[in-house]
């Protein structure tokens, strides 16, 4: 936790009282994105689209399609989006000449203000702001890819990362803040099946981002309302068992933590493809419902896995 930032100024009470919002969260894409995604999102009438990274291995063309989507959106890039840049082994295997191209920067340039990694995006008409955690995260308790974060962002530690996320939080215009990351925050469990649990050898352990946890706690100390924290990275299918899926949602301290990484996100069926997205309902700044929806070629929800439904509020 850092004390170098002062709390943001007090703002007006929660806006849009009585309005229900539908947020779509797109988990790890891994090259599965096309024009039907935007059409499905439009058909479902979502108010805001949150995309949590891993579009492909520095897949500039996929990111370009996402950037061109004419819907309100906020994006954070994941570890695969810097696959050939962030690590020494990735650079050794890079299929293009890094002296002539910087595909990480190309993705950032395409997304522009929509990329909220270490930044924020205000949606005053929706009564909320989006803050992004550390972009390109691989997760885990160790500070990795040191030169990448130092050279790109001037960040050299978890403490400095918390401060950078906090600076973005401080600049938000709205009292309701939704955090998005590629990897989720530490503190959601250390079992292999936990939302950010390690499901490869050695099995178990919390592989969430400590700096993400610190930044969320800081925002709450400043009086921000944080109804939703959403992320991906850790896929729902587990490596050590096929008898169950990863735990997708946890509620702690009035915040819903949602892992949206259902991979593959587009599957073929006898009646055509199905594509998944997480749909979150927000009412008066509170999450009242969260589900993973599978949408068919007519842009109709064919099946839904309801992960969370709040108890109805009695009049």
């Amino acid at each position: 936790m850092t004390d170098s930032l002062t709390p943001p100024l007090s703002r007006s009470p929660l806006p849009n009282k009585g309005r229900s919002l539908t947020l779509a969260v797109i988990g790890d894409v891994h090259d599965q994105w096309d024009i039907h995604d935007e059409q499905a999102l439009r058909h479902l009438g979502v108010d805001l689209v949150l995309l949590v990274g891993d579009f492909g291995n520095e897949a500039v063309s996929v990111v370009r399609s996402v950037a061109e989507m004419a819907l309100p959106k906020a994006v954070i890039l994941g570890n695969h989006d810097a696959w050939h840049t962030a690590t020494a082994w990735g650079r050794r295997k890079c299929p293009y000449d890094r002296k002539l191209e910087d595909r990480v920067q190309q993705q950032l340039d395409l997304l522009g203000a929509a990329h909220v990694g270490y930044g924020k995006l205000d949606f005053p008409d929706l009564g909320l702001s989006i803050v992004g955690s550390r972009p390109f995260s691989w997760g885990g308790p160790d500070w990795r890819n040191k030169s990448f974060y130092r050279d790109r962002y001037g960040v050299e530690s978890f403490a400095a990362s918390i401060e950078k996320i906090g600076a973005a939080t401080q600049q938000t215009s709205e009292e309701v803040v939704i955090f998005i990351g590629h990897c989720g925050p530490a503190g959601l469990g250390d079992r292999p099946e936990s939302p950010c649990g390690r499901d490869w050898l050695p099995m178990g352990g919390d592989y969430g981002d400590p700096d993400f946890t610190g930044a969320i706690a800081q925002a709450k100390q400043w009086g921000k309302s944080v109804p939703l924290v959403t992320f991906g990275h850790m896929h729902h299918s587990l490596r050590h068992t096929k008898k169950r899926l990863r735990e997708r949602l946890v509620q702690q301290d009035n915040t819903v933590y949602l892992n949206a990484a259902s991979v593959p996100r587009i599957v073929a069926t006898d009646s055509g493809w199905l594509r998944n997205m997480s749909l979150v309902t927000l009412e008066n700044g509170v999450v009242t419902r969260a589900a993973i929806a599978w949408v068919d070629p007519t842009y109709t929800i064919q099946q839904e896995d309801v992960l969370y439904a709040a108890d109805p509020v009695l009049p």
Side-chain angles (χ1 to χ4, degrees):
M1 190 62 60
T2 177
D3 296 323
S4 61
L5 297 175
T6 57
L9 296 175
S10 176
R11 307 189 198 282
S12 59
L14 302 183
N16 292 322
K17 185 174 178 59
R19 182 178 178 187
S20 177
L21 302 175
T22 299
L23 313 182
V25 187
I26 307 296
D28 297 31
V29 168
H30 292 295
D31 298 301
Q32 291 191 314
W33 178 271
D34 57 39
I35 187 62
H36 295 291
D37 284 294
E38 181 172 354
Q39 295 301 324
L41 291 163
R42 287 187 179 279
H43 185 82
L44 294 172
V46 303
D47 296 287
L48 178 63
V49 185
L50 307 176
L51 300 103
V52 297
D54 272 9
F55 296 100
N57 291 346
E58 300 188 14
V60 174
S61 61
V62 178
V63 172
R64 179 178 290 108
S65 296
V66 169
E68 291 173 350
M69 179 175 62
L71 287 170
K73 60 183 177 289
V75 184
I76 190 165
L77 292 169
N79 60 303
H80 278 267
D81 303 315
W83 195 249
H84 301 298
T85 302
T87 66
W89 63 261
R91 292 189 289 271
R92 287 195 299 271
K93 297 179 180 181
C94 186
Y96 62 89
D97 189 342
R98 296 182 62 254
K99 294 179 181 178
L100 300 178
E101 289 189 80
D102 183 344
R103 294 190 181 176
V104 168
Q105 191 59 49
Q106 288 176 35
Q107 294 172 87
L108 292 169
D109 290 344
L110 284 166
L111 292 169
H115 184 256
V116 295
Y118 279 149
K120 61 93 180 180
L121 201 54
D122 297 315
F123 294 92
D125 55 327
L126 303 179
L128 56 84
S129 295
I130 307 297
V131 172
S133 68
R134 172 165 43 101
F136 307 105
S137 173
W138 292 65
D142 301 319
W143 184 252
R144 302 175 62 178
N145 305 329
K146 297 178 181 179
S147 61
F148 177 82
Y149 284 111
R150 181 196 64 222
D151 297 344
R152 296 270 172 176
Y153 296 103
V155 174
E156 300 188 66
S157 67
F158 285 127
S161 185
I162 294 172
E163 186 169 349
K164 198 167 185 68
I165 302 167
T169 305
Q170 189 182 34
Q171 295 170 10
T172 54
S173 67
E174 307 305 308
E175 284 301 298
V176 175
V177 172
I178 291 173
F179 280 92
I180 70 172
H182 178 57
C183 187
L188 301 181
D190 59 3
R191 295 172 295 108
E193 301 85 7
S194 297
C196 301
R198 180 174 179 142
D199 66 325
W200 64 93
L201 296 175
M203 198 72 66
D206 188 342
Y207 223 66
D209 285 340
D211 46 340
F212 199 0
T213 305
I216 295 165
Q218 185 177 65
K220 291 185 175 183
Q221 285 184 345
W222 287 346
K224 291 292 188 181
S225 174
V226 185
L228 176 67
V229 175
T230 190
F231 50 91
H233 187 53
M234 299 295 201
H235 297 181
H236 289 167
S237 58
L238 296 165
R239 303 179 194 185
H240 68 291
T241 181
K242 300 305 176 187
K243 295 181 179 180
R244 60 164 297 176
L245 296 173
R246 182 178 298 280
E247 189 175 354
R248 306 179 188 194
L249 185 144
V250 172
Q251 186 188 31
Q252 292 181 357
D253 301 325
N254 299 315
T255 299
V256 167
Y257 295 85
L258 172 64
N259 181 338
S262 187
V263 179
R265 64 170 300 267
I266 301 178
V267 296
T269 71
D270 292 340
S271 57
W273 48 256
L274 291 175
R275 63 192 65 225
N276 76 69
M277 57 192 69
S278 296
L279 298 177
V280 179
T281 303
L282 203 68
E283 298 183 41
N284 297 331
V286 176
V287 173
T288 57
R289 190 175 190 273
I292 294 182
W294 290 89
V295 181
D296 69 14
T298 69
Y299 310 133
T300 302
I301 296 175
Q302 275 296 313
Q303 61 187 74
E304 224 180 14
D305 183 1
V306 178
L307 307 176
Y308 174 80
D311 293 332
V313 178
L314 298 177

